[in-house]
Amino acid sequence: MSFKLHLFNFALSLLVGLPVAHAAEEYPPLPTWKCTTSGGCVQQNTFVVLDQDSKFARGAPGSRTVADYAAMGVSTSGNALTMYHYVKTSSGLNNATPRLYLLGADGKYVLMNLLNQELSVDVDTSTLPCGENGAFYLSEMAADGSGGSGGSGAGSGKGYCDAQCQGFCCNEMDILESNSMATAMTPHPCKGNTCDKGGCGYNPYASGQRNYWGPGKIVDTSKPFTVITQFAANGGRLAQITRKYIQNGRQIGNGGTISTCGNEGTTGGMTGMGQALGRGMVLAMSIWNDAAQNMVWLDSGNNGPCASGQGSPSNIQSQHPDTHVVFSNIRWGDIGSTTKA
């Protein structure tokens, strides 16, 4: 494809609202905004790409179609991304469990440089029951998708890594792991291949705020809300991570602050997490449940109100087959620049 033809196809796709094709793949468009206090927010021409290991997508990585994204429970509309865990087929429900990454118009992952910056997103977790996890997080993946198995290629959804060392080990910042009953934000710094796998998270319920998160609670998860995560720096070093919410035009505080994170000599701690944020991290989004632990680390016992066994995948599939999460209006930039409330 010539450069001029590529630009023509790209411009046409923006005009008609259809997915754009880098090489052969049709990437669902998901516009985002980069913001400054002086210049406001500027729309970015961004897209989402499926992870290379997306089992119900028939097309090979790098050549997937709109139908492949639909088979994985993924769709976009305007600035909103919707991910379904289960997809209905003629033979029953497919356990799609999609994971996606934010892709730029240049075919590379978007690197968000977030040290002394903030990231905001509108979220709808209303259909996520106990045991389900709508995850919105950052991974220090390479912009070109290199470093993992299967060679490089951001346009093919390659190069995934996290602090659990899936793919390979890298810094991970869990902005939001949540369902309608519980939530957590968790830095997972790494130093080489030594990662803080448990992380140093903040969960309102575990911190004693039993009336903070849930349907009809202070953050009413039966309705959409905005999540703002700020990464304040002092002298070029990450000083604290702060969470705020906006719902019904009103800012909600007491969402949590993290100012320490493990042993800096072993895993890098807050300093290492800040350095990764300064270098730039890739936005990943997923929906999943947990056959091994039923997500009790997120929403049961001291972590949330869910009963033992309530979050089993079999229970979710039978009782909540339409479970899905919506992420929209993604903005990042100077602290205080991404929202108006």
Side-chain angles (χ1 to χ4, degrees):
M1 181 183 291
S2 71
F3 181 70
K4 289 183 178 179
L5 182 58
H6 176 82
L7 286 178
F8 173 79
N9 285 340
F10 177 69
L12 181 62
S13 71
L14 292 179
L15 288 172
V16 301
L18 295 175
V20 67
H22 301 285
E25 183 145 353
E26 297 173 329
Y27 301 107
L30 186 69
T32 57
W33 285 263
K34 194 170 183 181
C35 307
T36 62
T37 51
S38 60
C41 296
V42 178
Q43 183 173 319
Q44 309 295 297
N45 294 322
T46 45
F47 310 84
V48 290
V49 58
L50 277 166
D51 183 85
Q52 63 173 336
D53 297 321
S54 297
K55 55 189 173 182
F56 295 110
R58 293 187 177 183
S63 61
R64 288 167 174 160
T65 66
V66 174
D68 289 314
Y69 281 83
M72 287 299 297
V74 174
S75 64
T76 62
S77 177
N79 63 31
L81 166 69
T82 301
M83 293 183 291
Y84 279 82
H85 188 133
Y86 302 103
V87 176
K88 294 180 181 179
T89 69
S90 58
S91 58
L93 287 177
N94 283 343
N95 183 12
T97 320
R99 182 170 68 208
L100 302 110
Y101 315 115
L102 190 66
L103 191 73
D106 60 358
K108 295 181 179 180
Y109 295 133
V110 175
L111 292 184
M112 292 184 174
N113 303 98
L114 288 170
L115 184 62
N116 213 31
Q117 302 277 285
E118 71 179 24
L119 172 62
S120 67
V121 58
D122 294 348
V123 182
D124 186 344
T125 63
S126 59
T127 69
L128 298 180
C130 293
E132 197 70 17
N133 189 340
F136 185 90
Y137 63 107
L138 301 165
S139 164
E140 198 177 8
M141 300 161 64
D144 64 359
S146 60
S149 60
S152 64
S156 299
K158 296 181 178 180
Y160 181 71
C161 61
D162 61 25
Q164 305 304 316
C165 300
Q166 298 182 61
F168 60 99
C169 301
C170 72
N171 290 285
E172 174 186 349
M173 175 66 219
D174 293 333
I175 301 291
L176 187 76
E177 292 191 283
S178 65
N179 54 45
S180 63
M181 304 305 292
T183 188
M185 66 169 176
T186 311
H188 294 273
C190 296
K191 194 170 187 177
N193 289 329
T194 303
C195 296
D196 189 344
K197 294 186 177 183
C200 42
Y202 185 89
N203 175 323
Y205 190 96
S207 301
Q209 296 172 280
R210 302 297 168 91
N211 196 45
Y212 193 82
W213 180 279
K217 307 284 188 177
I218 294 172
V219 177
D220 183 358
T221 59
S222 68
K223 303 172 183 178
F225 51 90
T226 302
V227 179
I228 308 158
T229 310
Q230 298 175 334
F231 302 95
N234 185 358
R237 179 188 180 278
L238 179 63
Q240 65 181 24
I241 303 168
T242 303
R243 166 61 47 78
K244 300 176 182 178
Y245 299 95
I246 296 173
Q247 191 168 46
N248 298 324
R250 180 176 63 91
Q251 184 166 295
I252 303 170
N254 298 319
T257 298
I258 299 169
S259 56
T260 61
C261 191
N263 188 309
E264 294 198 0
T266 304
T267 61
M270 286 287 281
T271 297
M273 192 78 257
Q275 289 170 345
L277 290 164
R279 288 188 293 265
M281 301 181 75
V282 174
L283 178 62
M285 294 162 283
S286 66
I287 182 171
W288 61 290
N289 53 38
D290 178 10
Q293 301 182 64
N294 294 344
M295 217 69 72
V296 296
W297 56 268
L298 175 65
D299 61 22
S300 297
N302 291 329
N303 300 314
C306 299
S308 177
Q310 192 175 0
S312 68
S314 59
N315 184 64
I316 295 170
Q317 184 169 340
S318 63
Q319 300 297 320
H320 307 277
D322 66 338
T323 184
H324 62 278
V325 66
V326 182
F327 296 123
S328 61
N329 194 27
I330 299 168
R331 298 171 183 254
W332 75 100
D334 295 341
I335 290 176
S337 70
T338 68
T339 62
K340 294 181 180 179

